Amino acid sequence: PYKVPLDPRGLLELSWNVSYPKQVVHFQLLIRDLQFGLLFGMSDRGEFENADLAVLWSDGHNSYFGDAWSDAKAQLHMDSQQDYQLLRAWRAPEGLYLLFRRAFSTCDPKDYLIEDGTVHLIYGILEKPVHSLQAINISAIHRGLQRVQLLKPNITIPKLPSDRKIMEITAPDVVIPSQETTYWCYMTELPEGFPKHHIIMYEPVITAGNEALVHHMEVFQCAAEFDTFPHYNGPCDSKMKPDRLNYCRHVLAAWAMGAQAFYYPEEAGLAFGGPGSSRYLRLEIHYHNPLVFKDRHDSSGIRLYYTATLRRYNAGIMELGLVYTPVMAIPPGEDAFVLTGYCTDKCTQVALPAAGIRIFASQLHTHLAGRKVVTVLARNGREQQVVNADGHYSPPFQEIRMLKEVVAVLPGDELITTCTYNTQNRSTATVGGFGIMEEMCVNYVHYYPQTELELCKSAVDPGYLHRYFTLVNRFNDEEVCMSPQVSVPQQFYSVPWNTFNKDVLKALYGSAPISMHCNKSSAVQFPGQWEKQPLPIITERLQEATPGCLPAP
């Protein structure tokens, strides 16, 4: 049921299914223009070193299929335990099909563990015959990577009502710019006097032939406080883009490559239209065009299914994690620096209804340095369950994911969001903020029934951060600019990042009081004392599940 193009030309097409009872994935590869074989596999972040691979190769006379792995120098080796099982291979007019299976977990140290979240799939095309597996030179072949969520949730698809209507929000025959990355913005509007409806499902509409170029798409609703928004159709980063478009940030739909249709639970829908809701919508499309095709026309977008028969609950979207502020920073040269944002018991106590809320989907978000994101639900100091986790998170690949099971959050519960960052290629501190070289740590959770709570996030108390800079000054020969006129980012940029200063910053973030943002949609805080709040105390952590293994066939 799941399908994704692997390469930008669309020569390799992967389909797959997932069996949770058997803990296996079946892969079907369509190779449209087979030459002398191909490599297909998985690795931690899409690299070809230390990868787990299924290889089809030909010496010009015979063809071979095997489970292989690559070492730290990208040299291929046949795996002593063959865990990719070839089930069938057949030719069809459109190309060669390979059908093979692989268990989630094999207990083979050379194999990749297939788990929830993003998986980096890699491929390589063999254009010449090879006399052995070891003779394949990975650096010399045509190769690439594709990110997908392999383990889709096994949920029953709700039935759509008979009075459903359809609205397509699509780009108006855009010529995709001949450059690698483009974010395209298009403004459109709902009809005059459009009454309140519930969105109950949406799916992508992709122009035939552009499946490998349309990377992800989002539909945003504009802020209701402005009566009108200017029309615009052009790159989002253009000088010509009107500033007012920055006020169109309320997500109605988000799709990323490899994602399926998104369904709301039967008892909830996302409200749009009617009084107090803007008629103006912004479509944003990320085109990924690494082969720099010219003159490709595109009318892709998102198809909304909606109904006038309102469901029992309005669905809402809430932001968890860290406030966008420079007080949360990551030192340079770190391979796994952790920052945590809290939605505290005090906030859920005042803001959630007595019966609580149900989270059914989640979209994780960081900028370029993010490597892992996880949100955990805690109750009375004990971690209860993972809301959403991605141990191979990749910033270019952000989709709204339906959760395997709905998570109930009650008043007094805590939602703790932790992000892990890699700044090994940076020479100065990375501060929190909106810029692409600044960082974020956010989980947009989709839930029902909708409440007034739109943002439940934290950051370290600024007074304690000031003490950190004072301490750094005392211990170091180099002066850190401390005058009140100097901004927090400037202070971070002037810190000499030795082990001591890094460790003390880690300790500060792990123990200092926090400033809580417990906000209604209008950026007004709920009543309460939100400054200098103690960090939530967790007395019992969730146990990491150790994956069992199927005996190798």
Side-chain angles (χ1 to χ4, degrees):
Y2 312 119
K3 192 158 92 173
V4 69
L6 287 184
D7 67 307
R9 282 181 292 195
L11 297 176
L12 300 174
E13 191 174 275
L14 176 73
S15 311
W16 76 98
N17 68 25
V18 179
S19 165
Y20 285 102
K22 295 192 169 135
Q23 300 268 300
V24 299
V25 180
H26 283 91
F27 294 103
Q28 179 180 290
L29 263 178
L30 164 59
I31 309 159
R32 289 186 197 279
D33 179 20
L34 179 66
Q35 294 170 308
F36 291 92
L38 97 160
L39 287 67
F40 165 81
M42 304 168 245
S43 67
D44 180 35
R45 306 210 61 82
E47 58 286 321
F48 280 77
E49 297 77 29
N50 302 317
D52 176 11
L53 296 155
V55 187
L56 171 73
W57 77 97
S58 165
D59 55 13
H61 310 291
N62 297 312
S63 298
Y64 306 90
F65 177 92
D67 177 346
W69 55 276
S70 65
D71 59 27
K73 295 199 170 98
Q75 176 62 49
L76 285 180
H77 305 271
M78 186 62 83
D79 201 330
S80 56
Q81 184 177 313
Q82 291 285 306
D83 291 299
Y84 284 106
Q85 275 178 278
L86 183 63
L87 301 175
R88 242 184 104 201
W90 69 99
R91 279 198 184 279
E94 60 273 26
L96 176 78
Y97 284 94
L98 289 181
L99 177 66
F100 52 97
R101 55 173 269 172
R102 162 77 152 70
F104 296 178
S105 164
T106 61
C107 289
D108 175 345
K110 300 292 183 217
D111 283 358
Y112 180 94
L113 172 67
I114 300 174
E115 49 193 353
D116 290 337
T118 304
V119 178
H120 292 70
L121 301 176
I122 54 178
Y123 65 87
I125 294 169
L126 302 181
E127 290 165 340
K128 299 191 186 79
V130 282
H131 58 83
S132 74
L133 179 82
Q134 284 74 19
I136 297 171
N137 176 3
I138 286 186
S139 57
I141 62 174
H142 175 79
R143 60 188 196 166
L145 97 113
Q146 179 63 287
R147 301 171 181 94
V148 297
Q149 177 195 23
L150 271 186
L151 301 188
K152 302 282 186 191
N154 195 10
I155 49 180
T156 35
I157 288 176
K159 249 188 34 218
L160 294 180
S162 53
D163 70 343
R164 64 174 180 268
K165 298 192 186 78
I166 291 176
M167 177 187 299
E168 290 196 354
I169 297 167
T170 52
D173 194 31
V174 167
V175 178
I176 299 176
S178 48
Q179 58 193 41
E180 180 163 351
T181 301
T182 303
Y183 283 83
W184 194 272
C185 281
Y186 169 63
M187 289 295 290
T188 180
E189 57 194 280
L190 299 171
E192 281 273 3
F194 184 79
K196 179 176 170 180
H197 288 79
H198 270 162
I199 297 172
I200 51 177
M201 173 208 158
Y202 59 82
E203 61 187 1
V205 182
I206 297 184
T207 301
N210 293 348
E211 292 83 0
L213 299 178
V214 178
H215 189 276
H216 69 255
M217 306 186 280
E218 296 190 84
V219 176
F220 298 97
Q221 188 169 32
C222 299
E225 57 251 39
F226 298 100
D227 294 336
T228 63
F229 279 81
H231 279 274
Y232 181 71
N233 179 39
C236 301
D237 58 358
S238 159
K239 301 267 190 294
M240 305 302 288
K241 187 188 85 171
D243 283 345
R244 191 167 278 192
L245 268 57
N246 297 333
Y247 291 91
C248 305
R249 300 233 55 88
H250 175 69
V251 179
L252 288 185
W255 172 89
M257 207 177 239
Q260 299 305 103
F262 182 90
Y263 291 87
Y264 280 84
E266 271 171 15
E267 56 274 31
L270 187 66
F272 79 136
S277 159
S278 174
R279 287 175 41 221
Y280 293 89
L281 306 176
R282 174 168 70 93
L283 171 69
E284 182 173 305
I285 303 181
H286 172 192
Y287 295 112
H288 181 58
N289 183 9
L291 301 176
V292 198
F293 292 122
K294 289 183 173 54
D295 207 36
R296 291 289 274 275
H297 287 247
D298 186 68
S299 301
S300 298
I302 286 181
R303 184 182 294 128
L304 302 175
Y305 292 72
Y306 60 102
T307 172
T309 312
L310 299 182
R311 291 181 164 181
R312 184 171 168 199
Y313 300 115
N314 286 332
I317 299 172
M318 188 192 305
E319 285 190 38
L320 306 175
L322 288 174
V323 184
Y324 309 127
T325 161
V327 301
M328 303 304 293
I330 304 138
E334 291 285 315
D335 70 332
F337 194 86
V338 173
L339 294 179
T340 300
Y342 299 89
C343 174
T344 58
D345 52 349
K346 214 165 161 181
C347 181
T348 62
Q349 194 72 58
V350 329
L352 298 189
I357 57 169
R358 306 279 176 276
I359 299 177
F360 61 89
S362 154
Q363 181 184 25
L364 306 173
H365 179 80
T366 74
H367 285 172
L368 305 178
R371 294 295 179 268
K372 293 180 184 185
V373 187
V374 57
T375 296
V376 174
L377 170 78
R379 187 170 292 154
N380 304 324
R382 290 202 282 277
E383 291 185 348
Q384 300 286 313
Q385 69 186 111
V386 171
V387 178
N388 191 8
D390 195 340
H392 300 272
Y393 174 83
S394 180
F397 185 58
Q398 304 185 13
E399 54 183 356
I400 300 179
R401 292 181 177 158
M402 292 178 274
L403 301 184
K404 282 200 173 111
E405 50 185 4
V406 171
V407 176
V409 183
L410 303 175
D413 285 355
E414 290 160 335
L415 291 158
I416 302 169
T417 302
T418 300
C419 295
T420 305
Y421 299 94
N422 182 308
T423 54
Q424 284 174 306
N425 59 352
R426 299 188 181 186
S427 53
T428 56
T430 301
V431 297
F434 289 95
I436 195 66
M437 294 310 286
E438 297 171 335
E439 267 310 330
M440 292 187 171
C441 177
V442 188
N443 183 354
Y444 298 96
V445 291
H446 295 242
Y447 72 96
Y448 66 89
Q450 187 174 25
T451 66
E452 282 193 283
L453 181 61
E454 200 152 279
L455 192 148
C456 188
K457 298 160 88 172
S458 71
V460 72
D461 174 74
Y464 275 77
L465 182 66
H466 186 76
R467 295 180 194 183
Y468 167 75
F469 290 130
T470 312
L471 182 76
V472 165
N473 255 346
R474 283 199 186 162
F475 271 82
N476 290 281
D477 303 336
E478 300 167 54
E479 279 292 305
V480 176
C481 295
M482 288 286 298
S483 73
Q485 289 79 39
V486 175
S487 68
V488 168
Q490 287 314 123
Q491 292 183 323
F492 270 121
Y493 299 149
S494 65
V495 170
W497 288 110
N498 53 38
T499 316
F500 176 81
N501 290 347
K502 287 180 176 183
D503 288 348
V504 176
L505 184 66
K506 260 183 218 167
L508 173 86
Y509 287 152
S511 60
I514 52 177
S515 155
M516 258 310 292
H517 287 225
C518 184
N519 294 14
K520 302 181 184 188
S521 42
S522 49
V524 176
Q525 297 220 320
F526 276 88
Q529 175 56 45
W530 302 116
E531 296 306 318
K532 289 196 169 39
Q533 294 297 294
L535 280 186
I537 295 165
I538 300 298
T539 54
E540 201 177 295
R541 304 259 171 213
L542 281 172
Q543 292 302 307
E544 291 258 326
T546 44
C549 305
L550 296 173

